[in-house]
Coordinates of all heavy atoms in Angstrom, one line a residue:
M166 N 82.2 116.0 114.3 CA 81.4 114.8 114.7 C 82.3 113.6 114.7 O 83.0 113.3 113.7 CB 80.2 114.7 113.7 CG 79.3 113.5 114.1 SD 77.9 113.4 113.1 CE 77.0 114.8 113.6
A167 N 82.2 112.8 115.8 CA 83.0 111.6 115.9 C 82.5 110.6 114.8 O 81.4 110.6 114.3 CB 82.8 111.0 117.2
F168 N 83.5 109.7 114.4 CA 83.2 108.8 113.3 C 83.7 107.4 113.7 O 84.8 107.3 114.3 CB 83.9 109.2 112.0 CG 83.7 108.4 110.8 CD1 82.5 108.5 110.1 CD2 84.6 107.4 110.4 CE1 82.2 107.7 109.0 CE2 84.4 106.6 109.3 CZ 83.2 106.8 108.6
V169 N 82.9 106.3 113.4 CA 83.3 105.0 113.7 C 83.4 104.2 112.4 O 82.5 104.2 111.6 CB 82.3 104.3 114.7 CG1 82.7 102.8 114.9 CG2 82.3 105.0 116.0
S170 N 84.5 103.5 112.2 CA 84.7 102.6 111.1 C 84.7 101.2 111.6 O 85.3 100.9 112.6 CB 86.1 102.9 110.4 OG 86.4 101.9 109.5
I171 N 83.9 100.4 110.9 CA 83.8 99.0 111.2 C 84.2 98.2 110.0 O 83.5 98.3 108.9 CB 82.4 98.6 111.7 CG1 82.0 99.4 113.0 CG2 82.4 97.0 112.0 CD1 80.6 99.1 113.5
T172 N 85.2 97.3 110.1 CA 85.6 96.4 109.0 C 85.2 95.0 109.4 O 85.6 94.5 110.4 CB 87.1 96.5 108.8 OG1 87.4 97.9 108.5 CG2 87.5 95.6 107.6
A173 N 84.3 94.4 108.6 CA 83.8 93.1 108.9 C 84.7 92.1 108.1 O 84.9 92.3 106.9 CB 82.4 92.9 108.4
L174 N 85.3 91.1 108.8 CA 86.2 90.2 108.2 C 85.6 88.8 108.1 O 85.3 88.2 109.1 CB 87.5 90.1 109.0 CG 88.3 91.3 109.2 CD1 89.5 91.1 110.1 CD2 88.7 91.9 107.9
S175 N 85.4 88.3 106.9 CA 85.0 86.9 106.6 C 86.2 86.1 106.2 O 87.0 86.6 105.4 CB 83.9 86.8 105.5 OG 82.8 87.6 105.9
F176 N 86.3 84.9 106.7 CA 87.5 84.1 106.3 C 87.2 82.7 106.4 O 86.2 82.3 106.9 CB 88.7 84.5 107.3 CG 88.2 84.5 108.7 CD1 88.2 83.3 109.4 CD2 87.8 85.6 109.4 CE1 87.8 83.2 110.8 CE2 87.3 85.6 110.7 CZ 87.3 84.4 111.4
P177 N 88.1 81.8 105.9 CA 87.8 80.4 105.9 C 87.7 79.8 107.3 O 88.4 80.3 108.2 CB 89.0 79.8 105.2 CG 89.6 80.9 104.4 CD 89.3 82.1 105.2
S178 N 86.9 78.8 107.5 CA 86.7 78.2 108.8 C 88.1 77.7 109.3 O 88.9 77.2 108.5 CB 85.7 77.0 108.6 OG 85.6 76.4 109.9
G179 N 88.3 77.8 110.6 CA 89.5 77.4 111.2 C 90.6 78.4 111.3 O 91.7 78.2 111.8
A180 N 90.4 79.6 110.7 CA 91.4 80.7 110.7 C 91.3 81.6 111.9 O 92.1 82.6 111.9 CB 91.3 81.5 109.4
E181 N 90.4 81.4 112.8 CA 90.2 82.3 113.9 C 91.5 82.6 114.7 O 91.8 83.8 115.0 CB 89.2 81.7 114.9 CG 87.8 81.6 114.3 CD 87.6 80.3 113.6 OE1 88.5 79.5 113.4 OE2 86.4 80.1 113.1
A182 N 92.3 81.6 115.1 CA 93.5 81.8 115.8 C 94.5 82.7 115.0 O 95.2 83.5 115.6 CB 94.2 80.5 116.2
E183 N 94.6 82.4 113.7 CA 95.5 83.2 112.9 C 95.0 84.7 112.8 O 95.8 85.6 112.9 CB 95.5 82.6 111.5 CG 96.3 83.4 110.5 CD 97.8 83.5 110.8 OE1 98.3 82.7 111.6 OE2 98.5 84.3 110.2
I184 N 93.7 84.9 112.7 CA 93.2 86.3 112.7 C 93.6 87.0 114.0 O 94.1 88.1 113.9 CB 91.7 86.3 112.5 CG1 91.2 85.7 111.2 CG2 91.1 87.7 112.7 CD1 91.7 86.5 110.0
E185 N 93.4 86.4 115.1 CA 93.7 87.0 116.4 C 95.2 87.2 116.5 O 95.6 88.2 117.0 CB 93.1 86.2 117.5 CG 91.6 86.2 117.5 CD 90.9 85.5 118.6 OE1 91.6 85.3 119.7 OE2 89.8 85.1 118.5
R186 N 96.0 86.3 116.1 CA 97.4 86.4 116.1 C 97.9 87.6 115.3 O 98.7 88.4 115.8 CB 98.1 85.1 115.6 CG 99.7 85.2 115.8 CD 100.4 84.1 115.0 NE 100.2 84.2 113.6 CZ 100.8 85.2 112.8 NH1 101.6 86.1 113.4 NH2 100.6 85.2 111.5
R187 N 97.4 87.7 114.1 CA 97.8 88.9 113.3 C 97.4 90.2 113.9 O 98.2 91.1 113.9 CB 97.1 88.8 111.9 CG 97.6 87.7 111.0 CD 96.9 87.8 109.7 NE 97.4 86.7 108.8 CZ 96.9 86.5 107.6 NH1 96.0 87.3 107.1 NH2 97.3 85.5 106.9
F188 N 96.3 90.3 114.5 CA 95.9 91.6 115.2 C 96.6 91.8 116.5 O 96.9 93.0 116.8 CB 94.4 91.7 115.3 CG 93.7 92.1 114.1 CD1 93.1 91.2 113.2 CD2 93.6 93.4 113.7 CE1 92.5 91.5 112.0 CE2 93.0 93.8 112.5 CZ 92.5 92.9 111.7
T189 N 97.0 90.8 117.2 CA 97.8 90.9 118.4 C 99.2 91.5 118.0 O 99.7 92.3 118.7 CB 98.0 89.6 119.1 OG1 96.6 89.2 119.5 CG2 98.8 89.7 120.3
A190 N 99.7 91.0 116.9 CA 101.0 91.5 116.4 C 101.0 92.7 115.5 O 102.0 93.0 114.9 CB 101.7 90.3 115.7
R191 N 99.8 93.4 115.4 CA 99.7 94.5 114.5 C 100.8 95.6 114.8 O 101.2 95.7 115.9 CB 98.3 95.1 114.5 CG 97.9 95.8 115.8 CD 96.4 96.2 115.7 NE 96.1 96.9 116.9 CZ 96.1 98.2 117.1 NH1 96.5 98.9 116.1 NH2 95.8 98.7 118.2
K192 N 101.1 96.3 113.8 CA 102.2 97.4 113.9 C 101.7 98.6 114.7 O 102.5 99.4 115.1 CB 102.7 97.7 112.5 CG 103.3 96.6 111.8 CD 103.8 97.0 110.4 CE 104.4 95.8 109.7 NZ 104.8 96.2 108.3
R193 N 100.4 98.8 114.9 CA 99.9 99.9 115.6 C 100.1 101.3 115.0 O 100.1 102.3 115.6 CB 100.4 99.9 117.1 CG 100.0 98.6 117.8 CD 100.4 98.7 119.3 NE 100.1 97.5 120.0 CZ 98.9 97.2 120.5 NH1 97.9 98.0 120.4 NH2 98.7 96.0 121.1
A194 N 100.3 101.3 113.7 CA 100.5 102.5 113.0 C 99.3 103.4 113.1 O 99.4 104.6 113.2 CB 100.8 102.3 111.5
V195 N 98.1 102.8 113.1 CA 96.9 103.6 113.2 C 96.8 104.4 114.5 O 96.3 105.4 114.6 CB 95.6 102.7 113.0 CG1 95.4 101.7 114.2 CG2 94.4 103.5 112.9
D196 N 97.4 103.8 115.6 CA 97.4 104.4 116.9 C 98.0 105.8 116.9 O 97.7 106.7 117.7 CB 98.1 103.6 117.9 CG 97.5 102.2 118.1 OD1 96.5 101.9 117.3 OD2 97.8 101.5 119.0
R197 N 98.9 106.1 115.9 CA 99.6 107.4 115.8 C 99.0 108.3 114.8 O 99.5 109.4 114.6 CB 101.1 107.1 115.5 CG 101.8 106.3 116.5 CD 103.3 106.1 116.2 NE 103.5 105.3 115.0 CZ 103.5 104.0 115.0 NH1 103.2 103.3 116.1 NH2 103.7 103.3 113.9
A198 N 97.9 107.9 114.1 CA 97.3 108.7 113.1 C 96.5 109.9 113.7 O 95.9 109.7 114.8 CB 96.3 107.8 112.3
E199 N 96.6 111.0 113.1 CA 95.9 112.2 113.6 C 94.4 111.9 113.6 O 93.8 111.4 112.7 CB 96.2 113.4 112.7 CG 95.6 114.7 113.2 CD 96.2 115.9 112.5 OE1 97.2 115.8 111.9 OE2 95.5 116.9 112.6
G200 N 93.8 112.2 114.7 CA 92.4 112.0 114.9 C 91.9 110.7 115.4 O 90.7 110.4 115.7
F201 N 92.9 109.7 115.5 CA 92.5 108.4 116.0 C 92.2 108.4 117.4 O 92.9 109.0 118.2 CB 93.7 107.4 115.7 CG 93.5 106.1 116.3 CD1 92.7 105.1 115.7 CD2 94.1 105.7 117.5 CE1 92.5 103.9 116.2 CE2 93.9 104.5 118.1 CZ 93.1 103.5 117.4
Q202 N 91.2 107.6 117.9 CA 90.8 107.6 119.3 C 90.9 106.2 119.9 O 91.4 106.0 121.0 CB 89.4 108.0 119.5 CG 89.2 109.5 119.2 CD 87.7 109.9 119.4 OE1 86.9 109.1 119.8 NE2 87.4 111.2 119.1
D203 N 90.4 105.1 119.1 CA 90.4 103.8 119.8 C 90.3 102.7 118.7 O 89.9 102.9 117.6 CB 89.1 103.7 120.6 CG 89.1 102.5 121.5 OD1 90.2 102.1 122.0 OD2 88.0 102.0 121.8
F204 N 90.8 101.5 119.1 CA 90.8 100.3 118.2 C 90.3 99.1 119.0 O 90.7 99.0 120.2 CB 92.2 100.0 117.8 CG 92.4 98.8 117.0 CD1 92.4 98.8 115.6 CD2 92.5 97.5 117.7 CE1 92.5 97.6 114.9 CE2 92.7 96.4 116.9 CZ 92.6 96.4 115.6
E205 N 89.4 98.3 118.4 CA 89.0 97.1 119.1 C 88.8 96.0 118.0 O 88.4 96.3 116.9 CB 87.6 97.3 119.7 CG 87.6 98.2 120.9 CD 86.2 98.3 121.5 OE1 85.2 98.7 120.7 OE2 86.0 98.1 122.7
L206 N 89.1 94.8 118.4 CA 88.9 93.6 117.6 C 87.8 92.8 118.3 O 87.9 92.5 119.4 CB 90.1 92.8 117.4 CG 89.9 91.5 116.6 CD1 89.5 91.7 115.2 CD2 91.2 90.6 116.7
L207 N 86.6 92.7 117.6 CA 85.5 92.0 118.2 C 85.4 90.5 117.7 O 85.3 90.3 116.4 CB 84.2 92.7 117.9 CG 84.2 94.2 118.3 CD1 82.8 94.8 118.0 CD2 84.5 94.3 119.8
R208 N 85.4 89.6 118.6 CA 85.3 88.1 118.2 C 83.8 87.8 118.2 O 83.1 88.1 119.2 CB 86.1 87.3 119.2 CG 85.9 85.8 119.0 CD 86.5 85.0 120.2 NE 87.8 85.3 120.4 CZ 88.4 85.5 121.7 NH1 87.6 85.5 122.7 NH2 89.6 85.8 121.8
P209 N 83.3 87.1 117.2 CA 81.9 86.7 117.2 C 81.6 85.7 118.3 O 82.3 84.8 118.6 CB 81.7 86.0 115.8 CG 83.1 85.6 115.4 CD 84.1 86.6 116.0
A210 N 80.5 86.0 119.0 CA 80.0 85.2 120.1 C 78.7 84.5 119.7 O 78.5 83.3 120.0 CB 79.8 86.0 121.4
F211 N 77.8 85.2 119.1 CA 76.6 84.6 118.6 C 76.0 85.5 117.5 O 76.2 86.7 117.5 CB 75.5 84.3 119.7 CG 75.0 85.5 120.4 CD1 74.0 86.2 120.0 CD2 75.7 85.9 121.6 CE1 73.5 87.3 120.6 CE2 75.2 87.0 122.3 CZ 74.1 87.7 121.8
G212 N 75.2 85.0 116.6 CA 74.5 85.8 115.6 C 75.3 86.3 114.5 O 74.8 86.9 113.6
E213 N 76.6 86.0 114.5 CA 77.5 86.5 113.4 C 78.8 85.6 113.4 O 79.3 85.2 114.5 CB 77.9 87.9 113.8 CG 78.8 88.6 112.8 CD 78.1 88.8 111.4 OE1 77.1 89.4 111.3 OE2 78.7 88.2 110.4
D214 N 79.3 85.3 112.2 CA 80.5 84.5 112.1 C 81.8 85.4 111.8 O 82.9 84.9 111.9 CB 80.4 83.5 110.9 CG 79.4 82.5 111.2 OD1 79.1 82.2 112.4 OD2 78.8 81.9 110.3
R215 N 81.5 86.7 111.5 CA 82.6 87.5 111.1 C 83.3 88.2 112.3 O 82.6 88.4 113.3 CB 82.2 88.7 110.2 CG 81.6 88.1 108.8 CD 81.1 89.2 108.0 NE 79.9 89.8 108.6 CZ 79.3 90.9 108.1 NH1 79.7 91.4 106.9 NH2 78.2 91.4 108.7
Y216 N 84.6 88.5 112.2 CA 85.2 89.4 113.2 C 85.0 90.8 112.7 O 84.8 91.1 111.6 CB 86.7 89.1 113.2 CG 87.2 88.0 114.1 CD1 86.9 86.7 113.7 CD2 87.8 88.3 115.3 CE1 87.3 85.7 114.6 CE2 88.3 87.2 116.1 CZ 88.0 85.9 115.7 OH 88.4 84.9 116.6
F217 N 84.9 91.7 113.7 CA 84.8 93.2 113.4 C 86.0 93.9 113.9 O 86.3 93.8 115.1 CB 83.5 93.7 114.0 CG 82.2 93.2 113.3 CD1 81.6 92.0 113.7 CD2 81.7 93.9 112.2 CE1 80.5 91.6 113.0 CE2 80.6 93.4 111.5 CZ 80.0 92.3 112.0
V218 N 86.5 94.7 113.1 CA 87.6 95.7 113.5 C 86.9 97.0 113.6 O 86.4 97.6 112.6 CB 88.8 95.7 112.5 CG1 89.8 96.7 112.9 CG2 89.3 94.3 112.3
V219 N 87.0 97.6 114.8 CA 86.3 98.8 115.1 C 87.3 99.9 115.4 O 88.1 99.7 116.4 CB 85.2 98.7 116.3 CG1 84.5 100.0 116.5 CG2 84.3 97.6 115.9
T220 N 87.3 101.0 114.7 CA 88.1 102.1 115.0 C 87.2 103.4 115.2 O 86.2 103.5 114.5 CB 89.2 102.4 114.0 OG1 88.6 102.6 112.7 CG2 90.2 101.3 113.9
R221 N 87.6 104.2 116.1 CA 86.9 105.5 116.4 C 87.8 106.6 116.1 O 89.0 106.6 116.5 CB 86.4 105.5 117.9 CG 85.6 106.6 118.2 CD 85.1 106.5 119.7 NE 84.2 107.7 120.0 CZ 82.9 107.6 120.0 NH1 82.3 106.5 119.8 NH2 82.2 108.7 120.3
W222 N 87.3 107.7 115.5 CA 88.0 108.8 115.1 C 87.4 110.1 115.5 O 86.1 110.2 115.7 CB 88.1 108.8 113.5 CG 88.7 107.5 113.0 CD1 88.1 106.3 112.8 CD2 90.1 107.4 112.7 NE1 89.1 105.4 112.4 CE2 90.3 106.1 112.3 CE3 91.2 108.3 112.7 CZ2 91.5 105.6 111.9 CZ3 92.4 107.8 112.3 CH2 92.6 106.4 111.9
D223 N 88.1 111.2 115.5 CA 87.6 112.5 115.8 C 86.6 113.0 114.8 O 85.6 113.6 115.1 CB 88.7 113.6 115.9 CG 89.6 113.4 117.0 OD1 89.3 112.7 118.0 OD2 90.7 114.0 117.0
S224 N 86.8 112.5 113.5 CA 85.9 113.0 112.4 C 86.1 112.0 111.2 O 87.0 111.2 111.2 CB 86.3 114.4 111.9 OG 87.6 114.3 111.3
R225 N 85.1 112.1 110.3 CA 85.2 111.2 109.1 C 86.4 111.7 108.3 O 87.1 110.8 107.7 CB 83.9 111.4 108.3 CG 83.9 110.6 107.1 CD 82.6 110.7 106.4 NE 82.6 109.8 105.2 CZ 81.5 109.6 104.4 NH1 80.4 110.1 104.7 NH2 81.6 108.9 103.3
E226 N 86.7 112.9 108.3 CA 87.9 113.4 107.5 C 89.2 112.8 108.0 O 90.0 112.5 107.3 CB 87.9 115.0 107.6 CG 86.8 115.6 106.8 CD 85.5 115.6 107.6 OE1 85.5 115.4 108.9 OE2 84.4 115.8 107.0
A227 N 89.3 112.7 109.4 CA 90.5 112.1 109.9 C 90.6 110.6 109.5 O 91.7 110.1 109.1 CB 90.5 112.2 111.5
Y228 N 89.5 109.9 109.6 CA 89.5 108.5 109.1 C 89.9 108.4 107.7 O 90.7 107.6 107.3 CB 88.1 107.9 109.4 CG 88.0 106.6 108.6 CD1 88.6 105.4 109.0 CD2 87.2 106.5 107.4 CE1 88.5 104.3 108.3 CE2 87.1 105.4 106.7 CZ 87.8 104.2 107.1 OH 87.7 103.1 106.4
E229 N 89.2 109.2 106.8 CA 89.5 109.1 105.4 C 90.9 109.5 105.0 O 91.5 108.9 104.1 CB 88.5 110.0 104.6 CG 87.1 109.4 104.6 CD 86.1 110.3 104.0 OE1 86.3 111.4 103.6 OE2 84.9 109.7 103.8
A230 N 91.5 110.4 105.7 CA 93.0 110.8 105.5 C 93.8 109.6 105.8 O 94.7 109.2 105.1 CB 93.4 112.0 106.3
W231 N 93.6 108.9 107.0 CA 94.3 107.7 107.3 C 94.1 106.6 106.3 O 95.0 105.9 105.9 CB 94.0 107.3 108.7 CG 94.6 105.9 109.0 CD1 95.9 105.7 109.4 CD2 94.0 104.7 108.9 NE1 96.1 104.3 109.6 CE2 94.9 103.7 109.3 CE3 92.7 104.3 108.6 CZ2 94.6 102.3 109.3 CZ3 92.4 102.9 108.6 CH2 93.4 102.0 108.9
S232 N 92.8 106.4 106.0 CA 92.4 105.3 105.1 C 93.1 105.4 103.7 O 93.6 104.5 103.2 CB 90.9 105.2 104.9 OG 90.6 104.2 104.1
T233 N 93.1 106.6 103.2 CA 93.7 106.9 101.9 C 95.2 106.6 102.0 O 95.8 106.0 101.1 CB 93.5 108.4 101.5 OG1 92.1 108.6 101.4 CG2 94.2 108.7 100.2
A234 N 95.9 107.1 103.0 CA 97.3 106.8 103.2 C 97.6 105.3 103.4 O 98.6 104.8 102.8 CB 97.9 107.6 104.4
R235 N 96.7 104.6 104.1 CA 96.9 103.2 104.3 C 96.8 102.4 103.0 O 97.6 101.5 102.7 CB 95.9 102.7 105.3 CG 96.1 101.2 105.6 CD 95.0 100.7 106.5 NE 95.1 99.2 106.6 CZ 94.5 98.3 105.8 NH1 93.8 98.7 104.8 NH2 94.6 97.1 106.1
V236 N 95.8 102.7 102.2 CA 95.6 102.0 101.0 C 96.8 102.2 100.0 O 97.3 101.3 99.4 CB 94.3 102.5 100.3 CG1 94.2 102.0 98.8 CG2 93.1 102.0 101.1
A237 N 97.3 103.4 100.0 CA 98.5 103.7 99.2 C 99.7 102.9 99.6 O 100.5 102.5 98.8 CB 98.8 105.2 99.2
A238 N 99.8 102.6 100.9 CA 101.0 101.9 101.5 C 100.8 100.4 101.6 O 101.7 99.7 101.8 CB 101.4 102.5 102.8
D239 N 99.6 100.0 101.5 CA 99.3 98.6 101.7 C 99.7 97.7 100.6 O 99.3 97.9 99.5 CB 97.7 98.4 101.9 CG 97.4 97.0 102.4 OD1 98.3 96.2 102.8 OD2 96.2 96.7 102.5
H240 N 100.6 96.8 100.9 CA 101.1 95.9 99.9 C 100.4 94.5 99.9 O 100.6 93.7 99.1 CB 102.6 95.6 100.1 CG 103.4 96.9 100.1 ND1 103.5 97.6 98.9 CD2 104.0 97.6 101.0 CE1 104.2 98.7 99.2 NE2 104.5 98.7 100.5
G241 N 99.5 94.3 100.9 CA 98.8 93.0 101.0 C 97.5 93.0 100.3 O 97.0 94.1 100.0
D242 N 97.0 91.9 99.9 CA 95.7 91.8 99.3 C 94.9 90.8 100.1 O 95.2 89.6 100.1 CB 95.9 91.3 97.8 CG 94.6 91.1 97.1 OD1 93.6 91.4 97.6 OD2 94.7 90.6 95.9
D243 N 93.9 91.3 100.8 CA 93.1 90.4 101.7 C 92.4 89.3 100.9 O 92.2 88.2 101.4 CB 92.0 91.3 102.4 CG 92.7 92.3 103.3 OD1 93.7 91.9 103.9 OD2 92.1 93.4 103.5
Q244 N 92.0 89.5 99.7 CA 91.3 88.5 98.9 C 92.3 87.3 98.7 O 91.9 86.2 98.6 CB 90.8 89.0 97.6 CG 89.4 89.6 97.7 CD 89.3 90.9 98.6 OE1 90.2 91.7 98.6 NE2 88.3 91.0 99.4
R245 N 93.6 87.6 98.4 CA 94.5 86.5 98.2 C 94.7 85.7 99.5 O 95.0 84.5 99.4 CB 95.9 87.1 97.9 CG 96.0 87.5 96.4 CD 97.5 87.7 96.0 NE 98.3 88.1 97.1 CZ 99.0 89.2 97.1 NH1 99.0 90.0 96.1 NH2 99.8 89.5 98.1
R246 N 94.5 86.2 100.7 CA 94.6 85.5 101.9 C 93.3 84.8 102.2 O 93.2 84.2 103.3 CB 94.9 86.5 103.1 CG 96.3 87.1 102.9 CD 96.6 87.9 104.2 NE 97.1 89.2 103.7 CZ 96.9 90.4 104.2 NH1 96.1 90.5 105.2 NH2 97.5 91.4 103.8
G247 N 92.3 84.8 101.3 CA 91.1 84.1 101.6 C 90.1 84.8 102.4 O 89.1 84.3 102.9
M248 N 90.3 86.1 102.7 CA 89.4 86.9 103.5 C 88.6 87.8 102.6 O 89.0 88.3 101.6 CB 90.2 87.9 104.4 CG 90.4 87.4 105.8 SD 91.0 88.7 106.8 CE 92.7 88.7 106.4
Q249 N 87.3 88.0 103.0 CA 86.5 89.0 102.4 C 86.4 90.1 103.4 O 86.2 89.9 104.6 CB 85.1 88.4 102.1 CG 84.2 89.4 101.5 CD 82.8 88.9 101.3 OE1 82.6 87.7 101.1 NE2 81.8 89.8 101.2
V250 N 86.5 91.4 102.9 CA 86.5 92.5 103.8 C 85.3 93.4 103.4 O 85.2 93.8 102.2 CB 87.8 93.3 103.6 CG1 87.8 94.6 104.4 CG2 89.0 92.4 104.0
D251 N 84.5 93.8 104.3 CA 83.4 94.7 104.1 C 83.6 95.9 105.0 O 83.8 95.7 106.2 CB 82.0 94.0 104.4 CG 81.7 92.9 103.5 OD1 81.8 93.1 102.2 OD2 81.4 91.8 104.0
K252 N 83.6 97.1 104.5 CA 83.8 98.3 105.3 C 82.5 99.1 105.5 O 81.8 99.3 104.5 CB 84.9 99.2 104.6 CG 86.2 98.5 104.5 CD 87.3 99.4 103.9 CE 88.6 98.6 103.9 NZ 89.7 99.4 103.6
L253 N 82.3 99.5 106.7 CA 81.2 100.3 107.1 C 81.6 101.5 107.8 O 82.6 101.5 108.5 CB 80.3 99.4 108.0 CG 79.9 98.0 107.5 CD1 79.4 97.2 108.7 CD2 78.9 98.1 106.4
G254 N 80.9 102.6 107.7 CA 81.2 103.8 108.4 C 80.0 104.4 109.0 O 78.9 104.4 108.5
F255 N 80.2 105.0 110.3 CA 79.1 105.6 111.0 C 79.4 106.9 111.7 O 80.5 107.0 112.2 CB 78.6 104.6 112.1 CG 78.2 103.2 111.6 CD1 79.1 102.2 111.4 CD2 76.9 103.0 111.3 CE1 78.7 101.0 111.0 CE2 76.5 101.8 110.9 CZ 77.4 100.7 110.7
E256 N 78.6 107.8 111.6 CA 78.7 109.1 112.4 C 78.1 108.8 113.7 O 77.0 108.2 113.8 CB 78.1 110.2 111.7 CG 78.8 110.6 110.4 CD 78.1 111.8 109.7 OE1 76.9 112.1 110.0 OE2 78.8 112.3 108.8
V257 N 78.8 109.3 114.8 CA 78.2 109.1 116.1 C 77.2 110.2 116.4 O 77.6 111.4 116.2 CB 79.4 109.1 117.2 CG1 78.8 109.1 118.6 CG2 80.4 108.0 116.9
V258 N 76.0 109.8 116.7 CA 75.0 110.8 117.0 C 75.1 111.4 118.4 O 75.1 110.6 119.4 CB 73.6 110.2 116.8 CG1 72.5 111.2 117.1 CG2 73.4 109.6 115.4
P259 N 75.4 112.7 118.5 CA 75.5 113.2 119.8 C 74.1 113.3 120.5 O 73.2 114.0 119.9 CB 76.1 114.6 119.6 CG 75.8 114.9 118.2 CD 75.6 113.6 117.5
L260 N 73.9 112.7 121.6 CA 72.6 112.6 122.2 C 72.6 113.6 123.4 O 73.5 113.5 124.3 CB 72.2 111.2 122.7 CG 72.2 110.2 121.6 CD1 72.0 108.8 122.2 CD2 71.1 110.5 120.6
A261 N 71.7 114.5 123.5 CA 71.6 115.4 124.6 C 71.1 114.7 125.8 O 70.3 113.8 125.8 CB 70.6 116.5 124.3
E262 N 71.8 115.0 126.9 CA 71.4 114.4 128.2 C 70.1 115.1 128.8 O 70.0 116.3 128.6 CB 72.5 114.5 129.2 CG 73.7 113.6 128.8 CD 74.7 113.4 129.9 OE1 74.3 113.5 131.1 OE2 75.9 113.2 129.6
A263 N 69.3 114.2 129.3 CA 68.0 114.8 129.8 C 68.2 115.5 131.1 O 69.0 115.3 131.9 CB 67.0 113.7 130.0

């Protein structure tokens, strides 16, 4: 079953350009992860102040394998950068076509 991970980023006011610059310059390591399908950065337009990082995976297991490896290798601390990070995960419901 396909899996979608959404990371919601809260950050100090005025940091929008920096957030977008960081993601534009990202290393793209996730793009080579087994089971990875897609990556999007969503900029808030209305109803929400947070940015959302959306990744799509072949399965929850593929996401968790990548996430575990990333946490082990991550040397940064988002809280030190003034960001709050909330992680959400969703299974994609396969809908039968009528």
Side-chain angles (χ1 to χ4, degrees):
M166 178 175 293
F168 184 78
V169 174
S170 167
I171 300 175
T172 302
L174 304 175
S175 300
F176 48 85
S178 180
E181 294 86 356
E183 176 64 14
I184 295 296
E185 292 182 26
R186 185 195 63 73
R187 286 184 187 180
F188 279 96
T189 298
R191 70 187 181 91
K192 296 179 184 176
R193 300 185 181 276
V195 68
D196 298 9
R197 297 181 295 279
E199 186 168 337
F201 173 79
Q202 294 180 3
D203 193 34
F204 175 97
E205 293 180 307
L206 177 64
L207 304 180
R208 176 190 301 133
F211 63 86
E213 183 63 61
D214 293 335
R215 298 177 294 176
Y216 274 73
F217 289 90
V218 178
V219 180
T220 56
R221 186 177 180 101
W222 301 83
D223 290 343
S224 66
R225 182 175 180 172
E226 293 77 19
Y228 164 76
E229 289 177 350
W231 171 81
S232 181
T233 300
R235 179 186 176 273
V236 167
D239 190 10
H240 302 291
D242 179 2
D243 293 325
Q244 274 65 37
R245 281 197 329 240
R246 293 185 224 143
M248 258 193 284
Q249 179 180 336
V250 177
D251 297 307
K252 296 184 180 190
L253 309 165
F255 301 88
E256 293 178 343
V257 176
V258 178
L260 301 176
E262 293 194 27

